[in-house]
Amino acid sequence: MNHLLLATPKSRRRLPASLKRALQGIGVLWAAWSLTFFILYILPADPVTIMLNQGEQSTVDAAQVAALKAQYHLDLPVWQQYLLALWDLLHLNLGKSIISGDNVTDLIIQALPATLLLAVCALVVALIVGGGLAAGTSVLPSGRIKSMLLALPSLGAALPTFWSGLLLLQLFSFSHAWLPAMGNRGWQSLVLPTLTLAIPTAATLAQVMSRSLAEVWRRSFIDALRLKGAGTARLLWRHVLPNAAIPLLTLSGMVFGHLLAGAVITETIFSREGLGRLAEGAVSAQDIPLVQGVVLTAATVFVVVNFITDAIYPLLDPRLATGER
C-alpha cells in the first residue's frame, strides 16, 4: 500500500491511460475473434462435411456426420456455439481442430516460431533498406539519380507479393539453384521468403521516412546548426534521423501485423511451415476453432507490438512522456 500512497501525481495520471490501452487491446482481440467466428459460420459448407469429404458420391454414414457435429457442438444454434466457444476462450481453451482433432494451442505453438522469425527478418531487412534509401536520398543533391531512387519505393509498393515471390523463385532457385525453393531447412531457405515480404514493406517505410526526413531538414534549428558549422553527416545522424524516427516507429508497429498476414501468401509460395500455411489449410477446411486461434494469435502479436511501440515513444522524444508535444 505504501507505494500507492507515495505515487506521484504523474504516475496516477498514467494509470488510467494504461488501463484504457489494455481495455482497447482486449476489445480488439474480442472483435477479431468474434468476427472470424461469424464469417466462417455464414459460409455455405460445414467443416464436418469437408473433413469426411462428403459430396454427391460420398458413402459416409449420416449417423457418423451427426455424431461428429454433436461432438463439436455444430448441431447447436449459432448463438449457443458462440457462447460455448467464448466460455472456453475465457478459460484459455482454444479448443481442438475439427479436421485433425489436435489441440489448437499446440498447433499454433508449433507453427508460430517459424512465422515470427520470418516476419522479424523481413521487418529488419525492410527497416535497413527502406530507412537507408530514405536517408541516402535525403542528402543527395537534386538530379536524375535522386529522382530515380525516389521512384523506387513507389515501384516496390506496387509489386504484388505473389509476383515478386515467383520472380525470386525463378531467378535464384529454378534458373541458378543458388537458394532452396521451398521448406524450412536452414537460413538459406529463409532468404527468398524474407525478401518477398520485405520488398513492399521497405517501399512503404521508405515513402514515410522520406517525407519525415524532408520535413525535419526544413526546420529552422537545422539551418542554425548548419550555420554553426555542423556537417551533413553529423546533422543527419545526431539531429535529423532521431527526429524523423517517430513516424517510422509508428508505421513499423503497424506493418508488423501486415507481415504476419502476408506470411499466408509467402509461406504458401515457398511451401514453408508456419502460421500462414496453418491458416490457409484451416480456412480451406473451414476449421473454425483453428482459424479463430490463428486470428487471435495474430491479433495478440499486433496488440503487443503496438504496446511496445507506445512504450518506446518517450525514449525517442521525452516530451511525449510529459504530454508537452
Side-chain angles (χ1 to χ4, degrees):
M1 293 295 292
N2 289 337
H3 68 284
L4 293 177
L5 295 175
L6 295 175
T8 64
K10 184 185 295 183
S11 64
R12 285 198 295 270
R13 284 198 303 271
R14 288 176 185 173
L15 182 59
S18 302
L19 184 60
K20 183 179 179 181
R21 292 284 296 168
L23 292 175
Q24 288 176 342
I26 293 173
V28 168
L29 298 180
W30 170 78
W33 182 86
S34 300
L35 189 62
T36 305
F37 176 88
F38 288 110
I39 287 177
L40 289 175
Y41 181 81
I42 63 176
L43 293 178
D46 70 82
V48 172
T49 301
I50 297 173
M51 178 180 66
L52 297 177
N53 195 25
Q54 282 192 326
E56 294 180 356
Q57 299 178 353
S58 173
T59 58
V60 177
D61 188 358
Q64 183 182 1
V65 175
L68 285 171
K69 287 186 176 181
Q71 178 182 343
Y72 291 102
H73 308 300
L74 297 175
D75 57 339
L76 298 176
V78 60
W79 65 270
Q80 290 187 20
Q81 293 184 41
Y82 176 78
L83 291 179
L84 285 172
L86 184 60
W87 179 256
D88 289 338
L89 178 64
L90 293 175
H91 290 79
L92 303 180
N93 179 13
L94 297 178
K96 292 186 177 182
S97 167
I98 295 177
I99 302 303
S100 67
D102 296 327
N103 191 294
V104 170
T105 304
D106 294 339
L107 293 173
I108 291 174
I109 290 175
Q110 292 172 9
L112 184 59
T115 301
L116 283 181
L117 177 63
L118 175 60
V120 170
C121 289
L123 182 60
V124 171
V125 172
L127 284 171
I128 294 173
V129 175
L133 180 63
T137 53
S138 74
V139 298
L140 281 178
S142 299
R144 185 172 299 177
I145 295 178
K146 182 172 183 175
S147 299
M148 292 175 60
L149 292 175
L150 288 175
L152 289 179
S154 300
L155 177 62
L159 293 177
T161 302
F162 71 90
W163 185 85
S164 56
L166 294 175
L167 181 64
L168 291 172
L169 270 177
Q170 182 65 36
L171 288 176
F172 296 102
S173 295
F174 300 146
S175 298
H176 297 91
W178 289 340
L179 292 167
M182 57 186 66
N184 297 52
R185 298 184 300 277
W187 65 268
Q188 296 92 339
S189 65
L190 190 61
V191 174
L192 295 183
T194 296
L195 292 177
T196 302
L197 267 181
I199 289 173
T201 307
T204 303
L205 294 178
Q207 289 175 320
V208 174
M209 192 69 176
S210 295
R211 287 192 289 269
S212 182
L213 285 168
E215 191 271 333
V216 177
W217 277 114
R218 288 194 294 268
R219 291 183 184 175
S220 56
F221 79 93
I222 296 295
D223 294 332
L225 290 171
R226 200 188 294 276
L227 290 175
K228 291 181 179 179
T232 301
R234 177 183 174 84
L235 287 173
L236 177 66
W237 291 106
R238 295 286 299 275
H239 302 286
V240 177
L241 281 178
N243 282 279
I246 291 179
L248 189 68
L249 178 65
T250 304
L251 190 61
S252 298
M254 297 175 64
V255 299
F256 193 78
H258 293 291
L259 287 175
L260 291 178
V264 175
I265 299 174
T266 307
E267 289 176 354
T268 301
I269 293 174
F270 293 95
S271 298
R272 287 181 57 83
E273 298 298 329
L275 206 62
R277 286 199 72 192
L278 191 66
E280 186 268 337
V283 171
S284 300
Q286 208 172 321
D287 194 337
I288 296 176
L290 186 53
V291 176
Q292 284 183 290
V294 171
V295 171
L296 186 65
T297 302
T300 301
V301 173
F302 183 80
V303 168
V304 171
V305 169
N306 277 276
F307 269 116
I308 295 174
T309 303
D310 288 344
I312 295 176
Y313 282 150
L315 301 178
L316 294 175
D317 189 346
R319 292 174 297 176
L320 294 175
T322 59
E324 296 176 2
R325 185 163 179 161

